[in-house]
Amino acid sequence: MKKLEFLCAKPVWEKSMQTEMNHSLVFSAEFDGTEEAVLCIAAQARYQIFLNGNFFAAGPARAGHGFFRIDRYELKNPSEKNIVEIIVAGYNSNSFWLTDQPSFLCAEIIRSGTVIAATGKNFTAKRFSERLKKVQRYSFQRPFVEVYDYSKRNNKTVELEECEAKAFIDRNAPYCEYGKIFAKTVLSQGTVSKELMPKTFNDRSLMKTDEKLKGFDFKELECCSVNEAYKFRSKLKSRNIPFEEISVPDKGTVVFDMGIITTGYAEILFESENAGTLYAVINEMLPENNIPDPGRDSCSNVIKWTFDKGGKHHFITFEPYDYKYIQLIFTGTGAKITGVSQIREVYPESKLVKSRKMPDEALQKIYDAAKESFVQNATDIFTDCPGRERAGWLCDSFFTARVENSLTGKSLVEKDFLENFIMPESFKVIPEGMIPCCYPADHYDGLFIHNWAMWYVLQLREYLARTGDREVIDNAKERMLSLLRFTEKYENENGLLQDLDSWIFVEWSEANDYVLDINYPTNMLYSMMLDALAELYGMPELSAKADKLRKTIIEIAFDGKFFRDNSVLDKNGKAILTENCSETCQYYAFFSGTATKETFPELYETMMAEFGPNRDTKKTYPKIPKSNAFIGNYLRLELMFRDGMYDKMLSEIKAFFLPMAETTGTLWENMYPNCSCNHGFASHVIYWLNSIFK
């Protein structure tokens, strides 16, 4: 992580406003001439670049606390007179997506080795005052929604001050590709009226902001756009026609289908008769009434623009969102909608040099959906989903990292992802020795997931095998040994982890109801962590410890037919094996090497023949909870892949994932369409398919 410097630029922000919450500025600089130039830029928290009035790029690539990556953009084919505008949002709020650090911009434009514009020199700035400040969070995991009032626009420049020095580093991840996708279909059209008994959005992200979840108190809000949207009752007529220009009256509304779930910046073009307000409600899936839900998935899925005059309007969101459906609602004026599109922000298609064609239509649909789920969740680090969270979760990343290498032959995003966890000297709130469950982020509630730290170690081992990059492994050594020392504190007299703190996470199913007091899937994962550390750092004693742990798990948790999930402590502190037995626990046993096909042949046969997507839990092992997508079903498929059971595996891939691919063009967090329907780890299907169809 070599530190870099700008040639001339200084980090700057509006005077006395570096820690102001949800404060946005527009920086601008002019330069002449058609010769190519380069824009170097770093910022906290988010920026969006426009060149001569046209959207150009957004960022930055994320880094760990105290470090900031420099992005470099080639400004090709400029005009005789050029203006670069950079909108920067300083959120100063904790989230799963962005770190909570003071706002700044550092940028310079270089031509032929000479700096022709730089912050601290000849960039000017004004407040992005049309974006309202005191609004609700988008979700518990992401900072603020977008609400605009163009009557508040102010072009007065602000006084800038130089910020403290920053530690700048390079970006390894490829730069995003920006291309437009247009609305495919007008699903329905109609009008809105006042809802007599409107639903209200009372999510914790709106009602429970405090020092642990930074945001504005509900009573402070200048408006609450999600609840304003809930006050509309839509009366719609089905259209199902290709989208062209469409006129709507005052209080008119139209619902559009983008064709697939896609991620980027919503772009709306329309002509209005007068001043008015536009609400855009976005959803991945439509509810049964076919009207987008403003509060779906515990998110405030509403962007609001109030415009103070009639004429032509062109709105682009500042934040990226993922959605398949978008409803536009106009109040105060009629309008002619001339364009509904999205500027996609995705991993560049040109880098996917190892994409393959599948042998049949069903597998091709699944492959394409998996690829969509990857490119939308690998823009700078690996994320779980590009909508609700945009968070760099461990465990998810283990699977997505395999996909990057399988599709591109490289591990550039993974390198940045792994390095981010190594950068800070320590992490706030969580215990010394532990690492965050998702990062870069700030979790002021002290939440951590011990299991996810173990997955980081497993990913390090695979990263080394993929890349041979020993430097990252060595840089992580002290952090990993600290993690080991911290984890060993939870070992009981049998060497089993017991009474782990915070959140113990096995998967999204009933298996996660069986995590106390001694969870055997977690201990199986711990044995893998010990083996990985032994390999990475030449510590054979840890391999011996892992072998002993696996034998202990077998002795205690295997009941003669299945592995039980947990033991609980009685009033005397004695561990009592429970009756709890999940499908997923069996997969952990074989995935971890605790069990093998040779040592447990009957269980392996039962698991493969009688579990899986087609099991009727009312008839077959009704007391054994079924696995969910994350991660039980993926462990099942991985075991089939290792064993070369390709025909059965492909059949189950179709059973698991074809309905998802056909419904949204992406793959989901769960087997059912609640929560995220566009999840990065789910792209792991590509890793298997690329390996099978070489």
Side-chain angles (χ1 to χ4, degrees), residues 302-377:
V302 182
I303 305 101
K304 177 185 176 184
W305 294 271
T306 297
F307 43 98
D308 55 354
K309 59 183 179 181
K312 292 185 178 181
H313 304 275
H314 182 187
F315 295 150
I316 300 174
T317 63
F318 177 80
E319 291 283 356
Y321 303 99
D322 85 319
Y323 56 93
K324 186 174 187 285
Y325 304 98
I326 180 168
Q327 178 183 20
L328 302 184
I329 302 169
F330 287 89
T331 64
T333 182
K336 180 170 70 174
I337 305 170
T338 57
V340 178
S341 59
Q342 182 195 90
I343 303 170
R344 274 170 52 94
E345 182 176 70
V346 294
Y347 190 100
E349 182 77 25
S350 62
K351 303 289 185 183
L352 308 181
V353 295
K354 295 192 173 184
S355 292
R356 290 183 171 82
K357 291 293 183 183
M358 293 295 104
D360 62 58
E361 183 181 359
L363 285 177
Q364 190 63 53
K365 286 182 180 180
I366 294 168
Y367 192 94
D368 292 343
K371 189 158 65 171
E372 278 295 336
S373 299
F374 172 76
V375 300
Q376 296 180 49
N377 281 288

Coordinates of all heavy atoms in Angstrom, one line a residue, residues 302-377:
V302 N -37.5 6.3 -2.6 CA -38.2 7.5 -3.2 C -37.1 8.6 -3.5 O -36.4 8.9 -2.5 CB -39.3 8.1 -2.3 CG1 -40.0 9.2 -3.0 CG2 -40.3 7.0 -2.0
I303 N -37.1 9.1 -4.7 CA -36.3 10.3 -5.0 C -37.3 11.4 -5.3 O -38.3 11.1 -6.1 CB -35.3 10.1 -6.1 CG1 -34.4 8.9 -5.9 CG2 -34.5 11.3 -6.4 CD1 -34.8 7.6 -6.6
K304 N -37.1 12.6 -4.8 CA -38.1 13.7 -5.0 C -37.4 14.9 -5.5 O -36.4 15.3 -5.1 CB -38.8 14.0 -3.6 CG -39.8 15.2 -3.7 CD -40.3 15.5 -2.3 CE -41.2 16.8 -2.4 NZ -41.6 17.2 -1.0
W305 N -38.0 15.5 -6.6 CA -37.5 16.7 -7.2 C -38.7 17.7 -7.2 O -39.7 17.4 -7.7 CB -37.1 16.5 -8.6 CG -35.9 15.7 -8.8 CD1 -34.6 16.0 -8.8 CD2 -35.9 14.3 -9.1 NE1 -33.7 15.0 -9.1 CE2 -34.5 13.9 -9.3 CE3 -36.9 13.3 -9.3 CZ2 -34.2 12.5 -9.6 CZ3 -36.5 12.0 -9.6 CH2 -35.2 11.6 -9.8
T306 N -38.5 18.9 -6.7 CA -39.4 20.0 -6.8 C -38.8 21.0 -7.7 O -37.7 21.5 -7.4 CB -39.7 20.7 -5.4 OG1 -40.4 19.7 -4.6 CG2 -40.7 21.8 -5.6
F307 N -39.4 21.3 -8.8 CA -38.8 22.3 -9.8 C -39.7 23.5 -9.9 O -40.9 23.5 -9.8 CB -38.7 21.6 -11.2 CG -39.9 20.8 -11.6 CD1 -40.9 21.3 -12.4 CD2 -40.1 19.5 -11.2 CE1 -42.0 20.5 -12.8 CE2 -41.2 18.7 -11.5 CZ -42.1 19.2 -12.4
D308 N -39.0 24.7 -10.0 CA -39.7 26.0 -9.8 C -40.1 26.7 -11.1 O -40.5 27.8 -11.0 CB -38.8 26.9 -9.0 CG -37.4 27.1 -9.6 OD1 -37.1 26.4 -10.6 OD2 -36.6 27.9 -9.1
K309 N -40.1 25.9 -12.2 CA -40.5 26.5 -13.4 C -40.9 25.4 -14.4 O -40.4 24.3 -14.3 CB -39.5 27.5 -14.0 CG -38.2 26.8 -14.3 CD -37.1 27.8 -14.8 CE -35.8 27.2 -15.1 NZ -34.8 28.1 -15.5
G310 N -41.6 25.8 -15.4 CA -41.9 24.9 -16.5 C -40.8 24.8 -17.5 O -39.8 25.6 -17.4
G311 N -40.9 23.9 -18.5 CA -39.9 23.8 -19.5 C -39.3 22.4 -19.6 O -39.9 21.4 -19.1
K312 N -38.1 22.3 -20.1 CA -37.4 21.0 -20.2 C -36.6 20.8 -19.0 O -35.9 21.6 -18.5 CB -36.5 21.0 -21.5 CG -37.3 21.0 -22.8 CD -36.3 20.9 -24.0 CE -37.1 20.9 -25.3 NZ -36.2 20.7 -26.5
H313 N -36.7 19.5 -18.5 CA -35.9 19.1 -17.3 C -35.2 17.8 -17.5 O -35.6 16.9 -18.3 CB -36.9 18.9 -16.1 CG -37.8 20.1 -15.9 ND1 -37.4 21.1 -15.1 CD2 -39.0 20.4 -16.3 CE1 -38.4 22.0 -15.0 NE2 -39.4 21.6 -15.7
H314 N -34.0 17.8 -16.9 CA -33.1 16.6 -17.0 C -32.6 16.3 -15.7 O -31.7 17.0 -15.2 CB -32.0 16.9 -18.0 CG -31.1 15.7 -18.3 ND1 -29.9 15.8 -19.1 CD2 -31.1 14.4 -17.9 CE1 -29.3 14.7 -19.1 NE2 -30.0 13.8 -18.4
F315 N -33.1 15.3 -15.0 CA -32.6 15.0 -13.6 C -31.8 13.6 -13.6 O -32.2 12.7 -14.3 CB -33.8 14.8 -12.7 CG -34.6 16.1 -12.5 CD1 -36.0 16.0 -12.2 CD2 -34.0 17.3 -12.5 CE1 -36.7 17.2 -12.0 CE2 -34.7 18.5 -12.3 CZ -36.1 18.4 -12.1
I316 N -30.7 13.6 -12.9 CA -29.9 12.4 -12.7 C -29.7 12.3 -11.2 O -29.3 13.3 -10.5 CB -28.6 12.5 -13.4 CG1 -28.7 12.7 -14.9 CG2 -27.7 11.3 -13.1 CD1 -27.5 12.9 -15.7
T317 N -29.9 11.1 -10.7 CA -29.7 10.9 -9.2 C -28.2 11.0 -8.9 O -27.4 10.7 -9.8 CB -30.3 9.6 -8.7 OG1 -29.6 8.5 -9.4 CG2 -31.8 9.5 -9.0
F318 N -27.9 11.4 -7.7 CA -26.5 11.5 -7.3 C -26.0 10.1 -6.8 O -24.9 9.7 -7.0 CB -26.3 12.5 -6.1 CG -25.0 12.5 -5.5 CD1 -23.9 13.2 -6.2 CD2 -24.6 11.8 -4.4 CE1 -22.7 13.3 -5.7 CE2 -23.4 11.9 -3.9 CZ -22.4 12.6 -4.5
E319 N -26.9 9.3 -6.2 CA -26.6 8.0 -5.7 C -27.0 6.9 -6.7 O -27.9 7.1 -7.4 CB -27.4 7.8 -4.4 CG -27.0 8.6 -3.2 CD -25.7 8.1 -2.6 OE1 -25.2 7.1 -3.0 OE2 -25.2 8.8 -1.7
P320 N -26.2 5.8 -6.7 CA -26.6 4.7 -7.5 C -27.7 3.9 -6.8 O -27.6 3.7 -5.6 CB -25.3 3.9 -7.6 CG -24.5 4.2 -6.4 CD -24.9 5.6 -6.0
Y321 N -28.6 3.4 -7.5 CA -29.7 2.5 -7.0 C -29.9 1.3 -7.9 O -29.6 1.4 -9.1 CB -31.0 3.3 -6.9 CG -31.0 4.6 -6.1 CD1 -30.8 5.8 -6.7 CD2 -31.1 4.5 -4.7 CE1 -30.8 7.0 -6.0 CE2 -31.0 5.7 -4.0 CZ -30.9 6.9 -4.6 OH -30.8 8.1 -3.9
D322 N -30.4 0.2 -7.3 CA -30.7 -0.9 -8.2 C -32.2 -1.1 -8.2 O -32.9 -1.0 -7.1 CB -30.0 -2.2 -7.7 CG -30.7 -3.0 -6.6 OD1 -31.2 -2.3 -5.7 OD2 -30.7 -4.2 -6.6
Y323 N -32.8 -1.3 -9.3 CA -34.2 -1.5 -9.5 C -34.6 -2.1 -10.8 O -33.8 -2.0 -11.8 CB -34.9 -0.1 -9.3 CG -34.5 1.0 -10.2 CD1 -35.1 1.2 -11.4 CD2 -33.4 1.8 -9.9 CE1 -34.7 2.2 -12.3 CE2 -32.9 2.8 -10.7 CZ -33.6 3.0 -11.9 OH -33.1 4.0 -12.8
K324 N -35.7 -2.6 -10.9 CA -36.3 -3.1 -12.2 C -37.5 -2.2 -12.6 O -37.8 -2.1 -13.8 CB -36.7 -4.6 -12.1 CG -37.2 -5.2 -13.4 CD -37.5 -6.7 -13.2 CE -37.8 -7.4 -14.5 NZ -39.1 -7.1 -15.0
Y325 N -38.2 -1.7 -11.6 CA -39.4 -0.9 -11.8 C -39.2 0.5 -11.2 O -38.6 0.7 -10.2 CB -40.6 -1.6 -11.1 CG -40.8 -3.0 -11.6 CD1 -40.3 -4.1 -10.8 CD2 -41.4 -3.3 -12.8 CE1 -40.5 -5.4 -11.2 CE2 -41.6 -4.7 -13.2 CZ -41.1 -5.7 -12.4 OH -41.2 -7.0 -12.8
I326 N -39.8 1.4 -12.0 CA -39.7 2.8 -11.5 C -41.1 3.5 -11.8 O -41.6 3.4 -13.0 CB -38.5 3.6 -12.1 CG1 -38.5 5.0 -11.6 CG2 -38.5 3.5 -13.7 CD1 -37.2 5.8 -12.0
Q327 N -41.7 4.0 -10.8 CA -42.9 4.7 -10.9 C -42.7 6.2 -10.8 O -42.0 6.7 -9.9 CB -43.9 4.3 -9.9 CG -45.3 5.1 -9.9 CD -46.2 4.7 -8.8 OE1 -45.9 4.2 -7.8 NE2 -47.5 5.0 -9.0
L328 N -43.1 7.0 -11.8 CA -43.0 8.5 -11.8 C -44.4 9.0 -11.4 O -45.4 8.7 -12.0 CB -42.5 9.0 -13.1 CG -41.2 8.5 -13.6 CD1 -40.8 9.2 -14.9 CD2 -40.1 8.7 -12.6
I329 N -44.4 10.0 -10.5 CA -45.6 10.6 -10.1 C -45.4 12.1 -10.2 O -44.5 12.7 -9.6 CB -46.0 10.3 -8.6 CG1 -46.2 8.7 -8.4 CG2 -47.3 11.0 -8.2 CD1 -46.3 8.3 -7.0
F330 N -46.3 12.8 -10.9 CA -46.2 14.3 -11.1 C -47.3 14.9 -10.3 O -48.5 14.5 -10.4 CB -46.3 14.6 -12.6 CG -45.0 14.3 -13.4 CD1 -44.9 13.1 -14.0 CD2 -44.0 15.2 -13.5 CE1 -43.8 12.7 -14.7 CE2 -42.9 14.9 -14.2 CZ -42.8 13.7 -14.8
T331 N -47.0 16.0 -9.6 CA -48.0 16.8 -8.9 C -47.7 18.2 -9.2 O -46.5 18.7 -9.3 CB -48.0 16.6 -7.4 OG1 -46.7 17.0 -6.8 CG2 -48.2 15.1 -7.0
G332 N -48.7 19.0 -9.3 CA -48.6 20.5 -9.5 C -48.6 20.8 -11.0 O -48.7 22.0 -11.3
T333 N -48.4 19.9 -11.9 CA -48.3 20.2 -13.3 C -48.4 18.9 -14.1 O -48.1 17.8 -13.6 CB -47.0 20.9 -13.7 OG1 -47.0 21.2 -15.1 CG2 -45.8 20.0 -13.3
G334 N -48.9 19.1 -15.3 CA -48.8 18.0 -16.3 C -47.4 17.9 -16.9 O -46.6 18.8 -16.7
A335 N -47.1 16.8 -17.6 CA -45.7 16.7 -18.1 C -45.7 15.7 -19.3 O -46.6 14.9 -19.4 CB -44.7 16.2 -17.1
K336 N -44.8 15.9 -20.2 CA -44.5 15.0 -21.3 C -43.2 14.3 -20.9 O -42.1 14.9 -20.9 CB -44.4 15.6 -22.6 CG -44.2 14.7 -23.8 CD -44.4 15.3 -25.1 CE -43.3 16.3 -25.4 NZ -43.4 16.8 -26.8
I337 N -43.2 13.0 -20.7 CA -42.0 12.2 -20.3 C -41.3 11.8 -21.6 O -41.9 11.1 -22.4 CB -42.4 11.0 -19.5 CG1 -43.2 11.4 -18.2 CG2 -41.1 10.3 -19.1 CD1 -43.7 10.2 -17.5
T338 N -40.1 12.3 -21.8 CA -39.4 12.0 -23.0 C -38.2 11.0 -22.9 O -37.7 10.5 -23.9 CB -38.8 13.3 -23.6 OG1 -37.9 13.9 -22.6 CG2 -39.9 14.3 -24.0
G339 N -37.8 10.7 -21.7 CA -36.8 9.8 -21.4 C -36.8 9.2 -20.0 O -36.9 9.9 -19.1
V340 N -36.7 7.9 -19.9 CA -36.6 7.2 -18.7 C -35.5 6.2 -18.9 O -35.6 5.2 -19.6 CB -37.9 6.5 -18.2 CG1 -37.7 5.7 -16.9 CG2 -39.0 7.5 -18.1
S341 N -34.3 6.4 -18.2 CA -33.2 5.6 -18.4 C -32.4 5.5 -17.1 O -32.7 6.1 -16.1 CB -32.3 6.1 -19.6 OG -31.9 7.4 -19.3
Q342 N -31.3 4.7 -17.2 CA -30.4 4.6 -16.1 C -29.0 4.6 -16.6 O -28.7 3.9 -17.6 CB -30.6 3.3 -15.3 CG -29.7 3.2 -14.1 CD -29.7 1.7 -13.5 OE1 -28.9 0.9 -13.9 NE2 -30.6 1.5 -12.6
I343 N -28.1 5.4 -16.0 CA -26.7 5.3 -16.3 C -26.1 4.2 -15.5 O -25.9 4.4 -14.3 CB -26.0 6.7 -16.1 CG1 -26.7 7.8 -16.8 CG2 -24.5 6.6 -16.4 CD1 -26.2 9.2 -16.4
R344 N -25.9 3.1 -16.1 CA -25.4 1.9 -15.4 C -24.0 2.1 -14.9 O -23.1 2.7 -15.6 CB -25.4 0.7 -16.2 CG -26.8 0.0 -16.2 CD -27.0 -1.1 -17.2 NE -25.9 -2.1 -17.3 CZ -26.0 -3.3 -16.7 NH1 -27.0 -3.6 -15.9 NH2 -25.1 -4.2 -16.8
E345 N -23.7 1.7 -13.6 CA -22.4 1.7 -13.0 C -22.0 0.3 -12.7 O -22.5 -0.3 -11.7 CB -22.4 2.6 -11.8 CG -21.0 2.7 -11.1 CD -21.0 3.6 -10.0 OE1 -21.6 3.3 -8.9 OE2 -20.4 4.7 -10.1
V346 N -21.1 -0.3 -13.5 CA -20.9 -1.7 -13.4 C -19.4 -2.0 -13.7 O -18.7 -1.2 -14.3 CB -21.7 -2.6 -14.4 CG1 -23.2 -2.5 -14.0 CG2 -21.5 -2.1 -15.8
Y347 N -19.0 -3.2 -13.3 CA -17.6 -3.7 -13.7 C -17.6 -3.8 -15.2 O -18.5 -4.2 -15.8 CB -17.5 -5.1 -13.0 CG -16.1 -5.6 -13.1 CD1 -15.2 -5.6 -12.0 CD2 -15.6 -6.2 -14.3 CE1 -13.9 -6.1 -12.1 CE2 -14.3 -6.8 -14.4 CZ -13.5 -6.7 -13.3 OH -12.2 -7.2 -13.4
P348 N -16.5 -3.3 -15.8 CA -16.4 -3.2 -17.3 C -16.5 -4.6 -18.0 O -15.8 -5.5 -17.7 CB -15.1 -2.5 -17.5 CG -14.2 -2.8 -16.3 CD -15.2 -2.9 -15.2
E349 N -17.4 -4.6 -18.9 CA -17.6 -5.8 -19.7 C -16.3 -6.3 -20.5 O -16.1 -7.5 -20.6 CB -18.7 -5.6 -20.8 CG -19.1 -6.8 -21.6 CD -20.0 -7.8 -20.9 OE1 -20.7 -7.4 -20.0 OE2 -20.0 -9.0 -21.3
S350 N -15.5 -5.3 -20.9 CA -14.3 -5.6 -21.6 C -13.3 -6.5 -20.8 O -12.4 -7.1 -21.4 CB -13.6 -4.4 -22.1 OG -13.2 -3.6 -21.0
K351 N -13.4 -6.5 -19.5 CA -12.5 -7.2 -18.6 C -13.0 -8.7 -18.4 O -12.2 -9.5 -17.9 CB -12.4 -6.5 -17.3 CG -11.9 -5.1 -17.3 CD -10.5 -4.9 -17.7 CE -10.0 -3.5 -17.6 NZ -8.6 -3.3 -18.1
L352 N -14.2 -9.0 -18.8 CA -14.7 -10.3 -18.6 C -14.3 -11.2 -19.7 O -15.1 -11.8 -20.5 CB -16.2 -10.3 -18.5 CG -16.8 -9.2 -17.5 CD1 -18.3 -9.3 -17.5 CD2 -16.2 -9.5 -16.1
V353 N -13.0 -11.5 -19.8 CA -12.4 -12.1 -21.0 C -12.6 -13.6 -21.0 O -12.4 -14.3 -22.0 CB -10.9 -11.8 -21.1 CG1 -10.7 -10.3 -21.4 CG2 -10.2 -12.2 -19.8
K354 N -13.1 -14.2 -19.8 CA -13.3 -15.6 -19.7 C -14.7 -16.0 -19.6 O -15.1 -17.1 -19.2 CB -12.5 -16.1 -18.5 CG -11.0 -16.0 -18.7 CD -10.2 -16.8 -17.6 CE -8.7 -16.8 -17.9 NZ -8.0 -17.6 -17.0
S355 N -15.6 -15.1 -20.1 CA -17.0 -15.5 -20.2 C -17.2 -16.6 -21.1 O -16.5 -16.7 -22.1 CB -17.9 -14.3 -20.6 OG -17.9 -13.3 -19.6
R356 N -18.2 -17.5 -20.9 CA -18.4 -18.7 -21.7 C -19.9 -18.8 -22.1 O -20.8 -18.3 -21.5 CB -18.0 -19.9 -21.0 CG -16.5 -20.0 -20.8 CD -16.1 -21.3 -20.2 NE -14.6 -21.5 -20.2 CZ -13.8 -21.0 -19.3 NH1 -14.2 -20.2 -18.3 NH2 -12.5 -21.2 -19.4
K357 N -20.1 -19.4 -23.3 CA -21.4 -19.7 -23.7 C -21.8 -21.1 -23.1 O -21.0 -22.0 -23.1 CB -21.4 -19.8 -25.3 CG -21.3 -18.5 -25.9 CD -22.4 -17.6 -25.7 CE -22.3 -16.3 -26.4 NZ -23.4 -15.3 -26.1
M358 N -23.1 -21.2 -22.7 CA -23.6 -22.4 -22.1 C -24.2 -23.3 -23.1 O -24.7 -22.8 -24.2 CB -24.6 -22.0 -21.0 CG -23.9 -21.3 -19.8 SD -22.8 -22.3 -18.9 CE -21.2 -21.7 -19.4
P359 N -24.4 -24.6 -22.8 CA -24.8 -25.5 -23.8 C -26.4 -25.5 -24.0 O -26.8 -26.1 -25.0 CB -24.4 -26.9 -23.3 CG -24.3 -26.7 -21.8 CD -23.8 -25.2 -21.6
D360 N -27.1 -24.9 -23.1 CA -28.5 -24.8 -23.3 C -29.1 -23.5 -22.8 O -28.4 -22.7 -22.1 CB -29.3 -26.0 -22.7 CG -29.1 -26.0 -21.2 OD1 -29.5 -25.0 -20.5 OD2 -28.6 -27.0 -20.6
E361 N -30.3 -23.2 -23.2 CA -30.9 -21.9 -23.0 C -31.1 -21.6 -21.5 O -30.9 -20.5 -21.0 CB -32.3 -21.8 -23.7 CG -33.0 -20.4 -23.5 CD -34.3 -20.3 -24.2 OE1 -34.7 -21.4 -24.8 OE2 -35.0 -19.3 -24.1
A362 N -31.5 -22.6 -20.7 CA -31.7 -22.4 -19.3 C -30.4 -22.0 -18.6 O -30.4 -21.1 -17.8 CB -32.3 -23.7 -18.7
L363 N -29.4 -22.8 -18.8 CA -28.1 -22.5 -18.2 C -27.6 -21.1 -18.6 O -26.9 -20.4 -17.9 CB -27.1 -23.6 -18.5 CG -27.2 -24.9 -17.8 CD1 -26.2 -25.9 -18.2 CD2 -27.1 -24.7 -16.2
Q364 N -27.8 -20.7 -19.9 CA -27.4 -19.4 -20.4 C -28.1 -18.3 -19.6 O -27.5 -17.3 -19.3 CB -27.6 -19.3 -21.9 CG -27.0 -18.1 -22.5 CD -25.4 -18.1 -22.4 OE1 -24.8 -19.1 -22.8 NE2 -24.9 -17.0 -21.8
K365 N -29.4 -18.5 -19.4 CA -30.1 -17.5 -18.6 C -29.6 -17.3 -17.2 O -29.4 -16.2 -16.7 CB -31.6 -17.8 -18.5 CG -32.4 -17.6 -19.8 CD -33.9 -18.0 -19.6 CE -34.6 -17.7 -20.9 NZ -36.1 -18.1 -20.7
I366 N -29.2 -18.5 -16.6 CA -28.7 -18.4 -15.2 C -27.3 -17.8 -15.3 O -27.0 -17.0 -14.4 CB -28.6 -19.9 -14.7 CG1 -30.0 -20.4 -14.5 CG2 -27.8 -19.9 -13.4 CD1 -30.1 -21.9 -14.2
Y367 N -26.5 -18.2 -16.3 CA -25.1 -17.6 -16.4 C -25.2 -16.1 -16.6 O -24.5 -15.3 -15.9 CB -24.4 -18.2 -17.6 CG -23.0 -18.0 -17.7 CD1 -22.0 -18.9 -17.2 CD2 -22.5 -16.8 -18.3 CE1 -20.7 -18.7 -17.2 CE2 -21.1 -16.6 -18.4 CZ -20.2 -17.5 -17.9 OH -18.9 -17.3 -17.9
D368 N -26.1 -15.6 -17.4 CA -26.2 -14.2 -17.7 C -26.7 -13.5 -16.4 O -26.2 -12.3 -16.1 CB -27.2 -13.9 -18.8 CG -26.6 -14.4 -20.2 OD1 -25.4 -14.6 -20.3 OD2 -27.4 -14.5 -21.1
A369 N -27.6 -14.1 -15.7 CA -28.1 -13.5 -14.5 C -27.0 -13.4 -13.4 O -26.9 -12.4 -12.7 CB -29.3 -14.2 -13.9
A370 N -26.2 -14.5 -13.4 CA -25.1 -14.5 -12.4 C -24.1 -13.4 -12.8 O -23.5 -12.7 -11.9 CB -24.4 -15.8 -12.4
K371 N -23.8 -13.2 -14.1 CA -22.9 -12.2 -14.5 C -23.4 -10.8 -14.2 O -22.6 -9.9 -13.8 CB -22.7 -12.3 -16.0 CG -21.5 -11.4 -16.6 CD -21.0 -11.9 -17.9 CE -21.9 -11.9 -19.0 NZ -21.3 -12.2 -20.3
E372 N -24.7 -10.6 -14.3 CA -25.3 -9.3 -13.9 C -25.1 -9.1 -12.4 O -24.8 -8.0 -12.0 CB -26.8 -9.2 -14.3 CG -27.1 -8.9 -15.7 CD -26.7 -7.4 -16.0 OE1 -26.6 -6.6 -15.1 OE2 -26.4 -7.2 -17.2
S373 N -25.3 -10.1 -11.7 CA -25.2 -10.0 -10.2 C -23.7 -9.7 -9.8 O -23.4 -9.0 -8.8 CB -25.6 -11.3 -9.5 OG -27.0 -11.5 -9.8
F374 N -22.8 -10.2 -10.6 CA -21.4 -9.9 -10.4 C -21.0 -8.4 -10.7 O -20.5 -7.7 -9.9 CB -20.4 -10.8 -11.1 CG -19.0 -10.4 -11.1 CD1 -18.3 -10.7 -9.9 CD2 -18.4 -9.8 -12.1 CE1 -16.9 -10.3 -9.8 CE2 -17.1 -9.4 -12.0 CZ -16.3 -9.6 -10.9
V375 N -21.3 -8.0 -12.0 CA -20.8 -6.7 -12.4 C -21.5 -5.6 -11.6 O -20.9 -4.5 -11.5 CB -21.1 -6.5 -13.9 CG1 -20.3 -7.5 -14.7 CG2 -22.6 -6.5 -14.3
Q376 N -22.7 -5.8 -11.1 CA -23.3 -4.8 -10.3 C -22.8 -4.8 -8.8 O -23.1 -3.8 -8.1 CB -24.8 -5.0 -10.3 CG -25.4 -4.8 -11.7 CD -26.9 -5.0 -11.8 OE1 -27.6 -4.4 -11.0 NE2 -27.4 -5.8 -12.7
N377 N -22.1 -5.8 -8.4 CA -21.6 -5.9 -7.1 C -20.1 -5.9 -7.0 O -19.5 -6.4 -6.0 CB -22.2 -7.1 -6.4 CG -23.6 -6.9 -5.9 OD1 -23.9 -6.2 -5.0 ND2 -24.6 -7.5 -6.6

